[in-house]
Amino acid sequence: MRADTPAISASEAAFLLRAKLGPIRAWGDFLSDNVRGRQSIQGLTLKPCSRKKIGKGWRPMYAVNAVEKFIADVLAIEPKAGRAPITPVVLAVDSRLPWRMNKFDTTGAPVAMLRRISSHASTLAITH
C-alpha cells in the first residue's frame, strides 16, 4: 500500500540530527554506516525509506517521522545528547600561506614546519 510520506535527503537528515542531538556523532558518517549495518546508538538505527535519483546516482531518502522518532528515542536513552553551541577557536592564521601550511596543535599553538636537513650538511665546511 502506498502512502504519501514526507522524506528528506541524507544531508538534511544529518543536519536535523546535529541540530537536535548535538555533536555526539559525525551524523553523515553515522547514516552511511547505518545503511551498511555497521553502527548504532545502543541498538537504535535509522534506515532510509527509499532512494531518489539525484544527479547521476541514487541517494537515500529518510522519512521525516522516522527521523523524529529516532531523535526522541536517542534523547530518552542518551542523557548527554542535545544541542551544543558551536564555539570558534581563535587561531593565528597566516593568510599568505596555503591552508595546509597553517598547522596548529590541540592547544591552538602554531606548529613549526619541519625542514629536511641533509645528513651531510653539518659536515660540509665553507672554505674561502
Side-chain angles (χ1 to χ4, degrees):
M1 180 171 85
R2 288 184 170 199
D4 291 337
T5 303
I8 56 178
S9 68
S11 62
E12 293 166 327
F15 178 81
L16 189 57
L17 292 170
R18 172 65 166 88
K20 301 290 183 174
L21 298 175
I24 61 173
R25 296 274 194 287
W27 292 110
D29 294 341
F30 175 81
L31 292 174
S32 62
D33 287 346
N34 263 209
V35 171
R36 296 177 187 95
R38 294 183 184 163
Q39 196 175 135
S40 68
I41 296 179
Q42 294 186 13
L44 298 174
T45 60
L46 180 60
K47 301 284 186 178
C49 66
S50 63
R51 293 187 299 170
K52 182 180 177 189
K53 185 139 177 116
I54 299 174
K56 293 182 179 181
W58 293 92
R59 305 287 181 225
M61 299 295 288
Y62 293 84
V64 173
N65 60 354
V67 174
E68 291 171 348
K69 182 181 179 325
F70 179 79
I71 290 169
D73 292 345
V74 169
L75 286 173
I77 62 171
E78 283 280 338
K80 294 180 185 176
R83 290 184 158 194
I86 296 173
T87 309
V89 176
V90 178
L91 301 173
V93 175
D94 186 349
S95 59
R96 297 170 296 174
L97 296 174
W99 69 271
R100 290 180 189 264
M101 303 303 275
N102 283 307
K103 291 187 174 184
F104 301 90
D105 66 10
T106 56
T107 65
V111 176
M113 296 299 297
L114 296 177
R115 297 209 167 126
R116 291 189 176 178
I117 298 174
S118 174
S119 60
H120 66 281
S122 61
T123 59
L124 295 176
I126 299 175
T127 56
H128 296 290

